Amino acid sequence: QNWTRGMSYWLHSESHVDTGPIYVRENGKLHVVNQGAGGIQNVTPKTRPFRLFSRGFSVELCMNREDDRARRQRTDHFIFTYTKEGNLRYSAKSLFSLVLGYISDNVDHIDSLIGFPEQIAEKLFSAAEARQKFTEPVTGLRALQKFTEAYGSLVLCSLCLRNRYLVISEKLEEIKSFRELTCLDLSCCKLGDEHELLEHLTKEALSSVKRLLLKDNSLSDAGLRRMTAPVRVLKKGLENLLVLDLSCNPKITDVGIGYLLSFKKLNCLDISGTGLKDVNAVIKRIQMQIGLVHSKVPLKEFDHSNCKTEGWAEQTVLQWEQAVMEAIKPQDDLRSRTAALRFYGKTHRREEVVKCTLVEAETKTSGNLQFYKENVQNCHLPLKKEIAGSHELKNNKKRALAEQESERTSKQKHLCLTVEDWDLLNTY
């Protein structure tokens, strides 16, 4: 027998340590190995204590030593809890939980989720989010795109990136992957006219945006011209825009306001803190051409309290922000290294954020240029003091309508059919 040959080899080996008698059970009978003769005798076991293994001998049970990752995943199949008495109790997870965890671990390999039930997709998104799969540089973007292509506004319907310019720079492609957004807050981000995200606003993927806040973004007339070109010429892009905030952009002049007249569906507009030369003429032009009334009191639509990040990816955006803050935290703590801070542009950005508050203070002192549409109830605060003045504005509108008709028609044609506009549209 194999075990007999192995035992004989062990018995005749000179390197083994004396461990006492060894018992072997065969065919229901107990046999003891005679170490001196190398044979097997049929005896009763002795009662004296003996040591089967030498001192210092230890045994380690390994289920899959070559693949430690697989061994760790097997422990996830159980739920460990404690009873009232303090005893450890475990129970097996359901098959649905095991499959959900496996798919979420490999969520970047999903081909498509179109037609998949949204109830299960939401759980899958939450499971992948808990594993921080969407924060990974390449695979996170690919996985996020699969969800946004299939579920659109369910993944994210409102995105607030107010004063989050670092998140925008680090996660620009992920932000561009969101589809069917209805509210987008980019206030105090200093994006400028040439930023890639502002160009993305004119795409059809964001044609559903109804509320756009671009306060204090260093915009000028050229930026407004680029942003409104698809609407003015092709009737696409931000054609469904209802609320627009362009306050605290001093480079926007009377020419830039003319580009905004293509937003016929606007209900609320804020151009406070812009570089207007003839304010009265601009107010009159907005009232005549898009039917917005100048408000004498601040409107609740521009207090930034209603714009929040909402959707499945709410925690994902928070994870992005936390990762960015942790990356710059060591540099913020080293106050003495001002040269390094200037080199990476952090001191400059801090000063720009402070300027945002200064511009807001100047706007309050210079005047409020917020407009609303009278027949829309959800777009303004109680305006009891303006009821009497609104009738007068209506009469003025009727009297000046005939005078402005020819001028408005000629200006609209000039704005919509310029060669520069066509050159700009060819870039899309």
Side-chain angles (χ1 to χ4, degrees):
Q1 298 177 355
N2 294 332
W3 68 270
T4 306
R5 289 196 298 269
M7 185 63 69
S8 300
Y9 172 77
W10 184 88
L11 290 174
H12 291 86
S13 177
E14 298 179 356
S15 60
H16 72 274
V17 182
D18 185 12
T19 57
I22 299 177
Y23 298 92
V24 179
R25 181 179 296 276
E26 182 183 11
N27 297 327
K29 296 182 180 180
L30 190 64
H31 304 273
V32 63
V33 178
N34 188 350
Q35 299 181 4
I40 301 177
Q41 298 179 358
N42 207 358
V43 298
T44 57
K46 298 180 181 180
T47 57
R48 66 179 183 83
F50 63 91
R51 184 178 298 276
L52 182 60
F53 299 101
S54 61
R55 291 183 180 273
F57 182 83
S58 61
V59 178
E60 180 182 1
L61 180 62
C62 299
M63 298 180 62
N64 195 346
R65 194 175 184 85
E66 296 181 356
D67 190 359
D68 293 336
R69 182 180 177 184
R71 183 177 60 179
R72 288 194 301 268
Q73 289 179 350
R74 289 192 177 186
T75 60
D76 295 338
H77 296 177
F78 303 96
I79 302 175
F80 295 91
T81 57
Y82 285 93
T83 61
K84 295 180 179 180
E85 294 79 10
N87 299 325
L88 182 63
R89 176 182 297 176
Y90 69 93
S91 58
K93 290 184 179 180
S94 62
L95 180 60
F96 177 79
S97 300
L98 297 178
V99 174
L100 192 68
Y102 178 79
I103 298 177
S104 60
D105 287 332
N106 303 275
V107 68
D108 56 300
H109 297 291
I110 296 177
D111 292 332
S112 177
L113 288 170
I114 298 176
F116 198 70
E118 61 184 40
Q119 294 84 357
I120 302 179
E122 183 178 3
K123 296 181 179 180
L124 178 61
F125 189 94
S126 300
E129 189 178 55
R131 291 166 169 80
Q132 296 187 354
K133 288 294 181 178
F134 301 115
T135 59
E136 299 176 359
V138 179
T139 58
L141 174 61
R142 185 165 57 246
L144 188 62
Q145 288 175 345
K146 300 301 180 182
F147 283 94
T148 54
E149 289 173 0
Y151 304 102
S153 60
L154 292 177
V155 178
L156 208 65
C157 62
S158 178
L159 178 59
C160 181
L161 295 173
R162 177 180 172 87
N163 200 18
R164 299 293 183 268
Y165 48 88
L166 291 178
V167 178
I168 295 176
S169 62
E170 292 293 331
K171 297 294 180 180
L172 179 60
E173 295 300 325
E174 285 81 354
I175 294 172
K176 290 169 59 177
S177 67
F178 292 122
R179 297 169 176 261
E180 300 180 14
L181 286 174
T182 58
C183 181
L184 181 59
D185 189 354
L186 299 174
S187 302
C188 303
C189 289
K190 298 292 184 179
L191 299 180
D193 295 331
E194 303 295 332
H195 199 277
E196 187 177 352
L197 185 56
L198 291 180
E199 182 181 354
H200 180 67
L201 291 176
T202 61
K203 306 296 182 181
E204 294 184 1
L206 291 182
S207 60
S208 59
V209 173
K210 297 181 179 180
R211 180 183 172 91
L212 180 60
L213 307 179
L214 294 173
K215 180 179 181 179
D216 190 21
N217 269 285
S218 302
L219 298 177
S220 64
D221 298 339
L224 294 185
R225 176 175 160 273
R226 292 175 59 88
M227 190 175 64
T228 59
V231 180
R232 290 185 286 112
V233 181
L234 301 177
K235 306 300 179 183
K236 295 181 179 179
L238 298 172
E239 57 180 350
N240 297 316
L241 199 61
L242 300 178
V243 179
L244 178 61
D245 185 2
L246 293 172
S247 59
C248 303
N249 288 288
K251 295 182 181 180
I252 297 178
T253 64
D254 306 39
V255 178
I257 300 301
Y259 297 127
L260 302 178
L261 301 179
S262 58
F263 294 135
K264 301 299 181 180
K265 297 182 180 180
L266 269 184
N267 292 333
C268 295
L269 175 64
D270 189 358
I271 54 175
S272 305
T274 54
L276 302 180
K277 298 179 180 179
D278 193 348
V279 178
N280 294 329
V282 171
I283 293 176
K284 186 177 181 180
R285 190 177 182 185
I286 293 175
Q287 291 175 351
M288 295 300 104
Q289 298 193 21
I290 56 179
L292 297 182
V293 180
H294 181 214
S295 176
K296 297 181 180 179
V297 296
L299 302 179
K300 65 179 181 180
E301 291 293 324
F302 301 109
D303 60 358
H304 298 273
S305 62
N306 296 327
C307 186
K308 300 177 181 178
T309 302
E310 298 178 357
W312 297 352
E314 179 179 355
Q315 295 298 322
T316 301
V317 177
L318 292 178
Q319 290 176 359
W320 294 345
E321 183 178 351
Q322 291 175 358
V324 172
M325 296 304 295
E326 290 178 358
I328 65 174
K329 186 176 180 180
Q331 296 177 354
D332 288 339
D333 294 337
L334 299 176
R335 302 295 181 182
S336 60
R337 298 182 60 184
T338 55
L341 290 175
R342 289 191 186 129
F343 177 80
Y344 289 103
K346 292 189 168 49
T347 303
H348 182 58
R349 288 175 179 172
R350 269 198 214 98
E351 292 174 356
E352 288 179 347
V353 175
V354 176
K355 288 181 181 179
C356 177
T357 59
L358 295 178
V359 174
E360 291 178 358
E362 293 178 359
T363 303
K364 294 180 181 180
T365 58
S366 61
N368 184 39
L369 290 178
Q370 295 181 352
F371 299 85
Y372 69 98
K373 189 168 290 187
E374 289 182 311
N375 57 357
V376 180
Q377 298 180 356
N378 296 329
C379 196
H380 53 80
L381 291 171
L383 300 173
K384 296 181 180 179
K385 297 181 181 179
E386 300 183 14
I387 295 178
S390 62
H391 296 288
E392 183 179 356
L393 292 174
K394 288 182 180 180
N395 296 330
N396 294 334
K397 180 178 179 180
K398 292 179 181 179
R399 287 194 300 266
L401 184 60
E403 300 176 0
Q404 298 290 334
E405 184 65 26
S406 58
E407 181 181 0
R408 180 184 64 178
T409 305
S410 61
K411 288 184 178 180
Q412 285 180 346
K413 290 181 179 179
H414 177 71
L415 290 174
C416 294
L417 300 176
T418 58
V419 179
E420 295 178 353
D421 288 337
W422 288 110
D423 294 339
L424 177 62
L425 290 172
N426 288 332
T427 63
Y428 290 93

